[in-house]
Structure formats: C-alpha cells, structure tokens
Amino acid sequence: MHYRILAASNVAPMIDALIMHAVDGIKELRSKITGSQWCTTLEEFAHKPIYKAISGSMVGPRFPAEKSYDPFLVFDDYFPLFAAGAPALFVQKGIRARNQLIDMFEEYLGTPGWEEGAAELITAMVDGARNESNQSWTDRELAAAINSDFWAANSNMSWGFFWCIGLMLHEPQSLAPLYEEIDAARDFWSKAHPNADLSGDSLTDLAEFLSNASLPLITSVVSETLRVSSSSFSIRAVVEDGATINGYPQFEFSKGDVLICQARSVHLDQEIYGPDAAVFKPDRFLDSGIVTEGGVHRPFLPFGGGVSKCDGRHYASKGCKFVFALFLLNFDIKLDPAHDAPSSGSALFDMTRIGSGVLHPTKPTHILVSRRK
C-alpha cells in the first residue's frame, strides 16, 4: 500500500497538500515580523512550521498539530533509546510522550469528518484496518500504526528542511546564490505566464511553478544536505549459510546473522566522494557531480536501499525542495550576530542519534528574519 500510494507517479496530491499547509505556515510566520526583522531560532522558524505542514498533508487540517508538537519532540528525542532496546525504566518520559501522541490519534479517528483533507495513505490504512473481511484492529492499534508513519515523516523531513537552511547559513555566501536562483526562476516564469499568481493566493499557480521551475542549485542543496545530515541503518538478515558480500570469502556469514548497513559511512567515504567528502558542498550534485570519471553514479543512500528503501522518499525529497523554495521566496534569513553561531561542519550534528535518520542539531541556531518583497 505504501509503495503504491507514495510512488513518484502518485504522490502529487500529498505534495500539493504540503504546499497548501506550508503557505498557511508562511503567512503565520510573516505576521510575526512586526518590525524590520524578527529575532528567533531556526527551530522555531523552520522546524515547527514544516512539522505542522507535514501533519496537515498527512492526517488532515483538523488534527491538533500544535498540541502534538511538544510530545512529538520528546518522543523523537527518546527514539534512539527505544530503537536500542533500552529498558522501560530509562525511557519513561519517552513512553509517556508516545502514549500522548497515540491518545491524540485515537481521539482524532473518532471525530466525525476527520478524513476530510487527510492523505490517501492514512484513509487507506484506516479502511484496511477496519475492513470487516479481516480481523479488525482496535482503534488503539490503528492509532499506534498511524503514529509510526507520522513519526517517520516528521522526524526526518522536518529536520532535513531545517538543515537545508542551517547548513547554507554557514556558507561564505550564505543563502545569496539560492535567492538569485529562485528570483530568476520566478521572473522567468512570470514573463512566460503573466497571469500567474505566485503570492500564495493561487495554490494551483504556485504548485505548477514549483513543479516546473528550473532550480538546479536548490535541488543540489537538498541532496547534499541529505548526504551529510542523514545517518540511516539498513538491517538485513542472512537467510542461508555461506552468504558473502560480492563473493569476498573474508566476508562470509551464517544463516540468522544480522547485518547493519551504515549509509553515512558511504556518504563520507573519501574514495567515493573525494577528499572533501566530509564537507558540505552546495553545488556537489550539479551536473556530473555525483558521477565518477568512469560514468558510474556514486551511491546516494539517505533513504536506505534495496527492498527496505524508504517508500516516502519522493514525498520527502520533493516536498523539502518545494517548501525550501517557498521560504526563499518569502524570507530573508541570516545568522544573528548577537549570538554565537553553532560550530560548522560535523560539530553541528548530534551523533548520539546515529542510525536513526536525519540527525538533530547540538544547539539552537539564532537567526534574524525579515520579509522579502
């Protein structure tokens, strides 16, 4: 079900809904800029609004995204410990937060009209679970299943978007090259489509622009951000004795062995990505930047690989690109000189979350935001 609904050819309705909710979030953010600029944190400015937009595009506008935000952050903080199998004694706060979220989904699914504006992914899950020809799930079990998908999207996509802005702010030119690109794309589109309304009042015009505009540098930044900020594990079980990796006898395994593929080590491998593999390079994915001299594509695995590759990768990568472009159209963003900026490079990332998806920041990033005209 997930594979079909989230396929590249089918995911457009969810992305359109994401754009709609992101525009609402942008309008709310613009209202907070009462003077010439707004002093805030990148977490408040970028992470929270896209969390709410993702929520709306998945489970619909009636879900209390604002109320769910704080317990979601707590649950997300504890997720690496859950994944590691930590005893319940050490994750009580995380368990309470997870139960709060499941309570919200359970109550939400009992609200008349909840499905209005919800993604097919969620409505199909509910319909399938409540199908009388199968053993019906309890509402609690269904709410827990939805919470799992909700976590997967928000834990990774929202922080991926956060890092698109955060990593660029540490570049010598900051966001300037991206403003130049998005402005040129907007001007070109407006000349070709003089009646198009890109203000956000016409979501159809805005979605068409975002889907068709040439934004190679922004696209490269999204890919490069995912390359350096992600840390996902692909776990495989060996199904027969004598299995090897590419036939190398020194890598021989027995049936029942569990293998963990650590994609981040591939992304930072200098033999694959060159001597600057550990460096965030905004234009790395332009043109042939991900192709070796022999014409082979370098491995790019932020969504895992093989049969367990993330089904939501098309929604996440396109959605992140489009929302990033929307923020660039609307806001001038820079680091706040009144605060010490977090260190650049790998020191930005909380490595205690290795293997759990997109990494979190180690400390807040203070920024100054003003409206773009």
Side-chain angles (χ1 to χ4, degrees), residues 43 91 95 134 166 176 214 223 272 275 354:
E43 289 79 357
V91 291
I95 291 173
N134 299 318
S214 176
S223 294
I272 298 174
I354 187 169

Side-chain angles (χ1 to χ4, degrees), residues 76-91:
D76 194 23
D77 282 344
Y78 275 86
F79 181 81
L81 293 176
F82 284 123
L89 176 66
F90 299 105
V91 291

Side-chain angles (χ1 to χ4, degrees), residues 54-76:
I54 293 168
S55 171
S57 71
M58 287 187 69
V59 293
R62 298 187 182 186
F63 181 73
E66 180 78 34
K67 182 180 177 182
S68 73
Y69 185 67
D70 286 341
F72 179 88
L73 291 181
V74 174
F75 171 60
D76 194 23

Side-chain angles (χ1 to χ4, degrees), residues 66-304:
E66 180 78 34
K67 182 180 177 182
S68 73
Y69 185 67
D70 286 341
F72 179 88
L73 291 181
V74 174
F75 171 60
D76 194 23
D77 282 344
Y78 275 86
F79 181 81
L81 293 176
F82 284 123
L89 176 66
F90 299 105
V91 291
Q92 286 298 306
K93 189 175 180 180
I95 291 173
R96 286 194 295 272
R98 179 178 181 271
N99 286 336
Q100 279 183 270
L101 292 169
I102 295 174
D103 288 343
M104 289 183 196
F105 283 116
E106 188 174 8
E107 180 180 354
Y108 182 63
L109 293 175
T111 304
W114 70 266
E115 64 274 12
E116 295 178 14
E120 182 188 359
L121 177 69
I122 304 301
T123 58
M125 187 184 301
V126 173
D127 290 344
R130 291 175 173 172
N131 189 336
E132 293 182 1
S133 64
N134 299 318
Q135 183 176 356
S136 296
W137 294 13
T138 67
D139 287 346
R140 189 71 178 174
E141 290 169 336
L142 182 53
I146 292 174
N147 183 59
S148 294
D149 276 10
F150 187 82
W151 171 84
N154 260 310
S155 178
N156 292 290
M157 189 173 171
S158 56
W159 286 115
F161 170 65
F162 170 93
W163 285 121
C164 285
I165 299 175
L167 291 171
M168 283 302 299
L169 287 174
H170 287 85
E171 288 296 294
Q173 292 183 279
S174 191
L175 293 165
L178 301 184
Y179 287 131
E180 182 178 345
E181 180 175 84
I182 193 67
D183 288 349
R186 179 198 56 207
D187 294 345
F188 180 83
W189 187 265
S190 296
K191 287 180 181 178
H193 305 81
N195 295 322
D197 179 3
L198 303 184
S199 67
D201 291 335
S202 172
L203 294 173
T204 300
D205 288 350
L206 192 57
E208 186 178 1
F209 164 68
L210 293 171
S211 297
N212 294 281
S214 176
L215 302 170
L217 184 56
I218 291 173
T219 304
S220 176
V221 167
V222 172
S223 294
E224 177 69 349
T225 296
L226 293 175
R227 185 187 73 85
V228 301
S229 68
S230 62
S231 175
S232 58
F233 286 168
S234 289
I235 301 175
R236 299 289 185 271
V238 178
V239 297
E240 60 181 30
D241 290 330
T244 62
I245 297 178
N246 288 340
Y248 290 104
Q250 62 267 43
F251 299 113
E252 183 173 323
F253 304 96
S254 301
K255 182 177 180 179
D257 286 346
V258 176
L259 309 182
I260 297 178
C261 309
Q262 217 290 67
R264 185 172 178 80
S265 62
V266 177
H267 290 162
L268 302 184
D269 191 329
Q270 294 185 8
E271 293 186 6
I272 298 174
Y273 278 95
D276 62 352
V279 177
F280 173 74
K281 186 179 177 183
D283 60 355
R284 188 185 299 274
F285 285 78
L286 288 177
D287 300 324
S288 60
I290 60 167
V291 180
T292 66
E293 292 181 2
V296 178
H297 280 266
R298 306 181 200 276
F300 180 63
L301 305 167
F303 300 104

